């Protein structure tokens, strides 16, 4: 599909970001990806906006990867969307039977009519040829849009009551059950998650997203609007990226709080980098990612470029590793994703056993949480994040949800794991209850 491409100079990039996201809400299909100008070695754009579907695909897990592979092969265009965690059931003989209050499709991608790419002070617009005449009108409309912080926005008088799907004592029992599996040798590690939710609640998605993004400033923030379903994500984690023949995965395992006191903050960062338990979590997942990438990699090409490097974000310090591989020209991009999905940082090791145990012990269907959001390019590249530190909202059912989890290993202390979950949940709870 031919697109008309134009470049424009932007003076105030941060203000433009707010205006363009607010402007996009006139459309039913919106995906916004923002790096928050975080300096990344593998970054392609500072921010991307895709709006208004020309074609689209939505499906459950049955042959989901086969369907998106066919869709991507036929369109050969920019495709934006998400993969839910429960596509694991397409990859392996697994099932998802837990409670689902959100009811998102398990896979959704669309071919946008209009695309906006920000890099530095340059805005690049990509419009399908038959809508290309609208470019100037849209840019004028965006610039005239009132910034979101200038709009009086209220929660419609709602007092949001956050509930726990799994209470503290039950959480301890379930973590001990995971530890029993580890001590029996069933698994080495499992990422166990819990849901926080609010019913009969109306929120302003743009306001909540902007507040969450302002607090966290993560490198893989995303805002999705698909009719009545929303994702408001402050994700710090890349799942997987394809750039030519190079595949890059960057799993996160290991979290520490931040301090306003620089000396104390440096101490917390150093302690995380030297923490044996946190490093062992990370190394286990690195081994799993290496194994997953090897399924499509050219022989001998899987490499660990960074091991257990600590990065600092506004809310937390995180331990991140970078694993890369090379693939042959004939390897289909969707096959690379399918062979690594779900990401090891959200499952455990061995992966299949961990996913079975997760399904037994968790009480909520993960859905889009711990899935991935991203895009395919016309030249078969892709980039996807991991959906964590995220709020999900079904507007029609007035249901709001966010989930958090942590890696349980043989050295895990249930109380410390619980406290880490509360730390990860802090920003989501704060923006919903403020």
């Amino acid at each position: 599909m031919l697109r008309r491409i134009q470049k424009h100079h932007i003076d105030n990039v941060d203000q433009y970001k707010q205006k363009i996201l607010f402007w996009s809400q006139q459309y039913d299909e919106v995906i916004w990806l923002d790096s928050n100008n975080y300096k990344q070695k593998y970054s392609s754009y500072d921010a991307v906006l895709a709006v208004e579907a020309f074609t689209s695909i939505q499906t459950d897990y049955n042959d989901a990867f086969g369907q998106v592979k066919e869709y991507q092969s036929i369109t050969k265009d920019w495709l934006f969307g998400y993969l839910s965690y429960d596509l694991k059931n397409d990859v392996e003989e697994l099932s998802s039977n837990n409670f689902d209050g959100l009811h998102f499709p398990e896979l959704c991608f669309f071919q946008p009519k209009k695309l906006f790419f920000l890099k530095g002070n340059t805005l690049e617009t990509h419009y399908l040829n038959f809508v290309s005449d609208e470019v100037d009108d849209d840019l004028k409309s965006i610039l005239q849009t009132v910034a979101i912080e200038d709009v009086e926005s209220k929660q419609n008088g709602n007092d949001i009551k956050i509930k726990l799907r799994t209470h503290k004592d039950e959480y301890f029992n379930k973590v001990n059950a995971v530890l029993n599996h580890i001590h029996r040798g069933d698994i080495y590690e499992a990422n166990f998650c819990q849901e926080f939710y609010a019913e009969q609640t109306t929120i302003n998605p743009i306001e909540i997203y902007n507040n969450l993004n302002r607090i966290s400033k993560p490198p893989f923030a995303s805002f999705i609007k698909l009719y009545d379903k929303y994702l408001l994500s402050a994700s710090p984690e890349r799942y997987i990226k394809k750039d030519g023949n190079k595949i890059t995965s960057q799993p996160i395992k290991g979290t520490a709080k931040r301090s306003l006191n620089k000396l104390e903050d440096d101490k917390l960062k150093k302690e995380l980098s030297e923490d044996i338990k946190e490093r062992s979590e990370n190394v286990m997942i690195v081994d799993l990612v290496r194994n997953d990438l090897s399924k499509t990699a050219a022989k001998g090409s899987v490499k660990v470029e960074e091991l257990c490097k600590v990065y600092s974000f506004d809310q937390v310090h995180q331990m991140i590793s970078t694993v890369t591989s090379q693939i042959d020209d004939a390897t289909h991009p969707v096959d690379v994703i399918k062979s690594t999905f779900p990401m090891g940082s959200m499952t455990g090791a061995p992966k299949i056993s961990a996913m079975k145990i997760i399904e037994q012990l968790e009480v909520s269907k993960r859905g889009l949480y711990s899935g991935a959001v991203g895009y395919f390019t016309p030249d078969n590249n892709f980039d996807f994040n991991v959906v964590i530190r995220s709020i999900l909202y079904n507007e029609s059912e007035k249901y709001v949800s966010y989930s958090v989890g942590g890696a349980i290993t043989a050295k895990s202390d249930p109380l410390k794991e619980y406290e880490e979950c509360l730390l990860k949940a802090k920003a989501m709870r704060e923006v919903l209850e403020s």
Side-chain angles (χ1 to χ4, degrees):
M1 180 64 63
L2 293 175
R3 290 182 178 271
R4 181 181 172 190
I5 301 172
Q6 294 183 358
K7 291 187 178 182
H8 318 265
H9 179 79
I10 301 298
D11 289 321
N12 190 326
V13 174
D14 288 337
Q15 187 181 77
Y16 193 87
K17 283 182 179 181
Q18 290 189 316
K19 287 177 178 286
I20 196 172
L21 183 56
F22 193 55
W23 167 86
S24 73
Q25 298 309 292
Q26 65 187 289
Y27 299 104
D28 291 321
E29 305 95 351
V30 177
I31 291 188
W32 166 255
L33 307 172
D34 189 356
S35 74
N36 285 293
N37 302 315
Y38 188 82
K39 301 305 178 189
Q40 301 175 69
K41 184 177 177 181
Y42 300 100
S43 176
S44 297
Y45 305 102
D46 293 335
V48 182
L49 174 68
V51 297
E52 197 176 4
F54 177 55
T55 65
S56 65
I57 179 174
Q58 290 188 19
T59 183
D60 62 15
Y61 69 85
N62 290 290
D63 191 34
F65 283 103
Q67 291 183 62
V68 79
K69 182 176 180 178
E70 181 182 22
Y71 181 51
Q72 193 271 339
S73 298
I74 291 171
T75 56
K76 292 183 172 59
D77 194 11
W78 291 94
L79 301 177
F80 285 73
Y82 69 76
L83 309 158
S84 79
Y85 171 80
D86 299 282
L87 296 184
K88 65 184 175 61
N89 306 332
D90 183 32
V91 179
E92 305 290 348
E93 291 292 325
L94 299 169
S95 61
S96 300
N97 302 308
N98 291 325
F99 171 79
D100 179 13
L102 288 161
H103 308 296
F104 277 54
E106 289 173 346
L107 177 147
C108 181
F109 281 88
F110 70 93
Q111 178 186 16
K113 292 181 182 178
K114 304 176 182 181
L115 280 167
F116 302 81
F117 298 93
L118 273 165
K119 187 76 171 179
N121 287 92
T122 300
L123 172 70
E124 194 172 279
T125 57
H126 293 225
Y127 276 40
L128 291 178
N129 268 354
F130 65 89
V131 294
S132 61
D133 291 340
E134 299 177 23
V135 178
D136 291 338
D137 289 340
D138 283 344
L139 292 176
K140 184 177 179 181
S141 177
I142 292 166
L143 290 170
Q144 291 174 343
T145 299
V146 178
I148 186 68
E149 72 265 23
D150 295 331
V151 178
E152 184 179 359
S153 179
K154 297 180 180 178
Q155 297 295 334
N156 297 333
N158 280 24
D159 183 16
I160 298 177
K161 303 290 188 185
I162 303 296
K163 302 177 184 178
L164 286 74
R165 188 70 62 187
T166 304
H167 290 275
K168 190 173 182 179
D169 289 344
E170 186 183 4
Y171 176 86
F172 287 168
N173 291 336
K174 288 177 179 292
V175 170
N176 282 322
V178 175
L179 288 169
N180 288 336
H181 281 289
I182 292 171
H183 295 146
R184 282 205 305 265
D186 300 332
I187 52 173
Y188 305 112
E189 177 180 344
N191 190 283
F192 177 65
C193 301
Q194 58 176 319
E195 182 193 20
F196 298 78
Y197 68 101
E199 299 169 298
Q200 294 305 305
T201 298
T202 301
I203 65 172
N204 182 320
I206 283 280
E207 179 188 37
I208 295 294
Y209 167 78
N210 274 312
N211 289 340
L212 181 63
N213 193 43
R214 193 176 296 116
I215 288 171
S216 304
K217 292 186 175 61
F220 298 100
S222 53
F223 175 98
I224 291 183
K225 173 190 176 185
L226 294 171
Y227 293 89
D228 63 339
K229 297 176 178 67
Y230 293 83
L231 169 73
L232 323 171
S233 178
S235 175
E237 182 172 359
R238 169 177 276 122
Y239 160 39
I240 195 167
K241 178 175 183 175
K242 178 180 181 289
D243 185 5
N245 294 88
K246 184 176 183 178
I247 307 298
T248 303
S249 183
Q250 295 183 288
I252 290 179
K253 274 287 160 267
T255 304
K257 64 182 180 181
R258 299 293 310 270
S259 172
L260 295 175
N261 181 292
K262 187 178 185 310
L263 289 176
E264 185 180 355
D265 194 55
D266 289 342
K267 182 173 178 254
L268 289 166
K269 183 175 181 178
K270 185 172 185 293
E271 286 174 349
L272 175 59
S273 70
E274 296 172 350
D275 189 300
I276 295 173
K277 184 253 181 189
E278 302 282 15
R279 290 184 70 89
S280 67
E281 282 183 18
N282 198 294
V283 169
M284 284 183 201
I285 298 307
V286 166
D287 284 344
L288 190 155
V289 172
R290 289 174 62 214
N291 181 67
D292 282 350
L293 290 183
S294 70
K295 295 171 186 175
T296 56
K299 188 174 179 179
S301 69
V302 178
K303 294 184 175 14
V304 180
E305 293 192 0
E306 290 180 338
L307 183 64
C308 300
K309 183 173 179 179
V310 176
Y311 288 79
S312 298
F313 302 94
D314 279 26
Q315 292 286 312
V316 292
H317 298 295
Q318 299 274 202
M319 188 180 287
I320 304 177
S321 293
T322 300
V323 189
T324 63
S325 68
Q326 295 287 327
I327 60 170
D328 295 331
D329 290 338
T331 303
H332 196 283
V334 174
D335 290 338
V336 177
I337 295 172
K338 183 177 180 181
S339 65
T340 59
F341 196 86
M343 62 291 300
S345 62
M346 297 307 297
T347 55
K351 188 186 274 191
I352 297 173
S353 297
M355 288 191 289
K356 288 179 179 177
I357 291 166
I358 287 166
E359 177 67 22
Q360 291 168 4
L361 293 174
E362 293 179 359
V363 295
S364 301
K365 180 179 176 178
R366 290 194 182 180
L368 182 47
Y369 170 69
S370 72
V373 169
Y375 58 85
F376 294 95
T377 73
D379 51 359
N380 289 329
N381 289 327
F382 57 70
D383 200 0
F384 286 87
N385 72 5
V386 178
V387 181
I388 52 176
R389 320 289 159 81
S390 301
I391 295 167
L392 291 152
Y393 176 46
N394 185 318
E395 186 177 35
S396 297
E397 298 188 22
K398 298 183 177 180
Y399 189 87
V400 179
S401 169
Y402 62 90
S403 295
V404 291
I408 311 302
T409 66
K411 291 183 169 62
S412 290
D413 177 326
L415 177 58
K416 289 183 178 177
E417 295 296 338
Y418 187 76
E419 289 172 346
E420 182 178 313
C421 284
L422 295 182
L423 174 63
K424 291 173 178 174
K426 180 184 174 186
M428 281 94 74
R429 185 158 201 150
E430 185 176 320
V431 299
L432 286 170
E433 292 189 335
S434 62

